[in-house]
Amino acid sequence: MTLRRPWDKLADCMWLARFVDKARLHLTASLTPDFAPYFGHALATDGAFLKHFGLKLDDCVVAMRIHGTSDDDFAAWFLAQPGVTTDTIASWNAGAFDLGKPGQPMARSFSWARRKYYTDAGADDRVDSVFSGIAWDEGYIDAMPSR
C-alpha cells in the first residue's frame, strides 16, 4: 500500500489521510521498518498531529479497529473528537507546510531526519520542511503544491 501524500486531505484535514493509511498498516503489522518505530511517536509528524488535536494514539488505534475499513467512518469519528473543530483543522492546515522549518514545530526532529534519511537531498533547497522531505523521499516533490 502506498501512503497518501502529506497534504492529501480527509475531513478537510491534511495528514489525516496519511495517518489513516499508516494506522491500517500498523494494525496488520505491515508498516515498513522506516515507519514502524515512528508511528504515533511524540517527536514525529504523527505526534505533532495528535498533540495539535488533543488525541491519544491508543484511542485512534481503537477507532481504526472499529472504523478502519471506511475513510468516511473514521473521518466522522475524528470530527467528533473534542479537540477537532473547523478552527483547529484550519490552523493545522495553515502550518502544516512549515512543520520542521526553523522556529516552527518539529524543527529539531526534521533536522535529525535530514541527517538520517535525507542526506542525498542536501543539494535540493526545496527540501526545507517535513512535507517537502517526505515528498522528496517518496519521489513526488515536483507535485508538491506551491505555497
Side-chain angles (χ1 to χ4, degrees):
M1 168 187 222
T2 301
L3 299 177
R4 285 176 271 191
R5 298 172 301 182
W7 55 84
D8 289 342
K9 293 180 181 178
L10 179 60
D12 200 34
C13 185
M14 286 189 236
W15 195 260
L16 181 60
R18 188 174 178 92
F19 180 80
V20 164
D21 293 344
K22 290 168 63 178
R24 285 184 179 131
L25 291 169
H26 169 77
L27 287 173
T28 61
S30 302
L31 269 175
T32 66
D34 283 343
F35 290 111
Y38 307 109
F39 175 64
H41 193 285
L43 298 178
T45 311
D46 291 342
F49 176 82
L50 295 168
K51 180 179 178 182
H52 181 84
F53 291 105
L55 300 171
K56 293 186 173 141
L57 179 62
D58 291 344
D59 294 341
C60 292
V61 170
V62 168
M64 181 55 62
R65 282 190 181 111
I66 296 167
H67 306 292
T69 59
S70 168
D71 277 359
D72 291 339
D73 288 350
F74 188 83
W77 174 85
F78 172 75
L79 291 169
Q81 301 312 297
V84 179
T85 65
T86 54
D87 288 342
T88 57
I89 291 172
S91 67
W92 171 261
N93 289 347
F97 283 99
D98 294 327
L99 291 170
K101 290 182 178 180
Q104 298 298 315
M106 297 191 61
R108 289 183 63 202
S109 298
F110 181 66
S111 176
W112 173 84
R114 256 195 92 100
R115 291 189 307 275
K116 181 163 176 67
Y117 294 109
Y118 309 133
T119 55
D120 293 340
D124 192 334
D125 58 0
R126 297 174 297 175
V127 180
D128 65 350
S129 69
V130 171
F131 279 23
S132 61
I134 292 168
W136 179 87
D137 187 51
E138 295 180 2
Y140 50 77
I141 194 162
D142 292 328
M144 191 166 159
S146 61
R147 294 207 353 109

